[in-house]
């Protein structure tokens, strides 16, 4: 079971959480699919398993899946196509060390009993390598497809979160908007270390105080460094007012790695076309303001993906490895 102890300032939760998030350090992960599909919504998923295995062998800390149940035209990105929990099981069987993250499961679109069961299963089958990102959802089109109210997703998110937390305990008995488990029945398996690491994405329709109190970490979005620094200071102040230990912050970053390291950086959607030296400098700046993990997204990367992964590993992981 989980021991309520600190790991250099962060709570010790499971194998993935403890290796990916280290205070005053920035680690690097990769968003799946690892391919260039910037000019279309649906990726090809070429060599997707081989690339996940390559990411592990090169020493990246985590791979991140997304929960995109419908290919919504206005959203313009079908993600990795596969259901994240099915894909987590597939990746768990094909890898040994790399953390397996979801950024993020849209809680109001799934019954929390199913989320709790699937997440605990993936955590146990992977040997404690699950990082469960959770969110309230930002694609209004998906809600009527499931006959669910988009406007009530904030309340649904809180109820789902509470239900999932209870499912990690032995024979839970409680009343919840999603149901009232009891009568001595239980849900198995339990998470590998007794608790699922649940990282909340953005605001998820909750107050900043609720996020700081209930999340095991925070997934935020790229911003200018000065603004991001102020946002992280606010997060950590709230966390330390509400708990006895710190909690990590992570963000994604789109990268189009240039062929030449001398080419000056140029902004792209939520990231940069950038060379290794400038990317290393930028990541050091993120580390300095308190970011603990960056998930690199290669959707707009123009160069060969395998070559890019090797260049990123050689140029960055000596500084930002796990």
């Amino acid at each position: 079971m989980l021991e309520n102890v600190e790991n250099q300032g962060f709570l010790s939760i499971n194998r993935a959480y403890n290796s990916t998030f280290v205070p005053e350090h920035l680690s690097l992960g990769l968003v799946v699919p690892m391919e260039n599909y910037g000019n279309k919504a649906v990726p090809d998923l070429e060599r997707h398993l081989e690339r996940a295995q390559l990411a592990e062998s090169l020493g990246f800390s985590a791979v991140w899946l997304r929960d995109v149940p419908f290919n919504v035209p206005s959203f313009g990105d079908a993600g990795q196509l596969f259901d994240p929990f099915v894909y987590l099981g597939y990746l768990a069987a094909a890898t040994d060390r790399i953390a397996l993250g979801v950024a993020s499961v849209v809680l109001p679109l799934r019954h929390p009993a199913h989320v709790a069961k699937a997440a605990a299963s993936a955590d146990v089958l992977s040997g404690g390598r699950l990082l469960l990102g959770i969110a309230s959802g930002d694609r209004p089109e998906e809600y009527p497809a499931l006959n669910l109210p988009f406007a009530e997703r904030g309340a649904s998110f809180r109820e789902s979160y509470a239900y999932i937390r209870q499912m990690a305990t032995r024979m839970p008995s409680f009343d919840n908007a999603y149901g009232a488990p009891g009568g001595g029945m239980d849900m198995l398996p339990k998470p590998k270390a007794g608790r699922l690491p649940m990282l909340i994405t953005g605001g998820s329709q909750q107050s900043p105080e609720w996020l700081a109190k209930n999340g095991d970490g925070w997934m935020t979005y790229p911003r200018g460094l000065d603004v991001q620094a102020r946002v992280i200071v606010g997060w950590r102040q709230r966390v330390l007012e509400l708990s006895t230990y710190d909690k990590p912050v992570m963000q994604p970053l789109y990268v189009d790695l240039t062929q030449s390291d001398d080419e000056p950086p140029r902004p792209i959607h939520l990231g940069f076309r950038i060379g290794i030296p400038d990317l290393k400098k930028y990541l050091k700046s993120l580390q300095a303001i308190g970011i603990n993990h960056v998930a690199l997204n290669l959707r707009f990367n123009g160069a060969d993906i395998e070559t890019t992964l090797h260049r990123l590993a050689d140029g960055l992981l000596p500084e930002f490895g796990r």
Side-chain angles (χ1 to χ4, degrees), residues 80-120:
Q80 78 279 338
L81 305 187
F82 304 124
D83 176 87
F85 289 115
V86 174
Y87 200 29
L88 282 170
Y90 183 69
L91 292 176
T95 58
D96 297 308
R97 302 178 306 279
I98 198 163
L100 305 174
V102 186
S104 290
V105 172
V106 183
L107 291 189
L109 297 183
R110 297 171 180 261
H111 194 286
H114 298 150
V115 175
K117 179 88 173 183

Side-chain angles (χ1 to χ4, degrees), residues 85 115-125 130 188-192 196:
F85 289 115
V115 175
K117 179 88 173 183
S121 298
D123 188 53
V124 171
L125 289 170
L130 177 69
L188 300 173
K190 301 299 183 187
K192 177 73 173 176
L196 291 170

Side-chain angles (χ1 to χ4, degrees), residues 139-209:
R139 297 182 289 276
E141 298 90 339
E142 293 175 332
Y143 283 76
L146 296 169
N147 197 28
L148 294 169
F150 184 70
E152 297 175 16
R153 67 196 186 281
S156 298
F157 177 90
R158 288 192 301 276
E159 291 291 302
S160 181
Y161 168 90
Y163 193 109
I164 294 166
R165 283 292 195 216
Q166 289 276 11
M167 285 295 105
T169 64
R170 183 175 180 271
M171 290 187 292
S173 179
F174 61 93
D175 291 319
N176 182 282
Y178 283 101
M185 70 179 188
D186 205 356
M187 177 175 280
L188 300 173
K190 301 299 183 187
K192 177 73 173 176
R195 176 187 176 110
L196 291 170
M198 295 171 70
L199 300 108
I200 302 173
T201 300
S204 288
Q205 304 296 302
Q206 310 305 316
S207 70
E209 290 73 25

